Amino acid sequence: MTLPLDASQIRSFRMQFAQLAVRVFAEQGEEGVTMRALAQASGVSRSTPYSYFADKADILDCIRAAGFRQLADRYVRALEEERDLLLRLRATARAYVTFAADEPALYRLMFDRRAGDRPHNPELQAAVKDFNHIADGPLDDCIAAGLLRGRRDDLKFASWSAFHGLASLFQAGHVPDRRRLEAMVDVVSDTLRYGMLAGGDARRGRKRVTDR
């Protein structure tokens, strides 16, 4: 008689299986992530994954969760190297766009809107929540310090739109190389920053920032 698995065993298997799925996804794309292929690669029976995952979509959510954890780690490292409140915004922009350049398939999967048409699994929800907490910090700090003007949600969406757009243009081949991409991150970041600065027009904002 097989004893039922406890919560820690289920969590451990899901984590190991998800790590395998991330590797397969990186090598073969979404098409390669199948229950059968993953079971074979992990050395378990074809039916075993169904004891831990509802379906392929559940596994893809775990891959998305791993992506958000990776992106959050990049933000943490970027923020550790920059103390200036306004320049921390640029640091996170760089982390976001370079992640998209380094992991194009994973990036597209993470932000695929079709994933929002069904309930997310708890692991993905937790990963997104943790990422948002880290990502929102620099903007919230600038607002609290009175450095930016405008509604928080508007500023956040404007920033995301700009850098998501830049990442998409790079992936589509409209930005020639990584050097140009990184330069454009700074241009877009500074342009946004000047427009959002509290007190004064864009020209005075430019002077305030560049004269630091």
Side-chain angles (χ1 to χ4, degrees), residues 67-80:
F68 278 105
R69 288 193 294 269
Q70 290 179 32
L71 184 53
D73 287 343
R74 291 199 184 207
Y75 271 46
V76 169
R77 292 196 298 272
L79 292 171
E80 286 175 347

Side-chain angles (χ1 to χ4, degrees), residues 25-198:
F25 179 83
E27 296 170 359
Q28 304 177 31
E30 186 174 337
E31 297 76 12
V33 181
T34 66
M35 291 291 208
R36 176 178 295 184
L38 292 174
Q40 183 176 3
S42 60
V44 300
S45 69
R46 295 179 182 178
S47 62
T48 297
Y50 291 97
S51 299
Y52 300 89
F53 297 90
D55 49 27
K56 176 178 176 176
D58 193 17
I59 294 177
L60 291 176
D61 274 350
C62 288
I63 295 175
R64 289 184 177 93
F68 278 105
R69 288 193 294 269
Q70 290 179 32
L71 184 53
D73 287 343
R74 291 199 184 207
Y75 271 46
V76 169
R77 292 196 298 272
L79 292 171
E80 286 175 347
E81 298 174 0
E82 181 57 69
R83 309 314 306 172
D84 182 282
L85 290 181
L86 288 172
L87 295 182
R88 284 164 70 84
L89 296 174
R90 179 195 282 180
T92 56
R94 286 176 176 170
Y96 182 91
V97 174
T98 55
F99 173 82
D102 292 339
E103 305 288 349
L106 179 57
Y107 174 81
R108 288 193 296 271
L109 180 67
M110 288 162 59
F111 294 99
D112 184 352
R113 187 61 184 87
R114 291 173 298 176
D117 294 338
R118 60 184 178 76
H120 290 158
N121 69 16
E123 182 181 352
L124 176 57
Q125 289 180 326
V128 171
K129 181 178 180 181
D130 290 345
F131 166 71
N132 284 333
H133 176 73
I134 295 170
D136 291 347
L139 180 63
D140 290 340
D141 290 342
C142 286
I143 293 173
L147 297 175
L148 303 180
R149 57 184 170 84
R151 294 178 62 251
R152 175 185 182 276
D153 289 348
D154 291 344
L155 298 180
K156 179 179 177 180
F157 193 77
S159 299
W160 182 45
S161 298
F163 296 112
H164 183 74
L166 183 57
S168 298
L169 288 171
F170 178 77
Q171 291 189 358
H174 295 291
V175 181
D177 52 44
R178 286 290 293 267
R179 183 176 179 180
R180 179 60 174 164
L181 175 67
E182 292 172 6
M184 286 307 302
V185 170
D186 290 351
V187 171
V188 173
S189 180
D190 287 348
T191 301
L192 278 171
R193 202 155 29 113
Y194 303 148
M196 296 187 300
L197 281 171

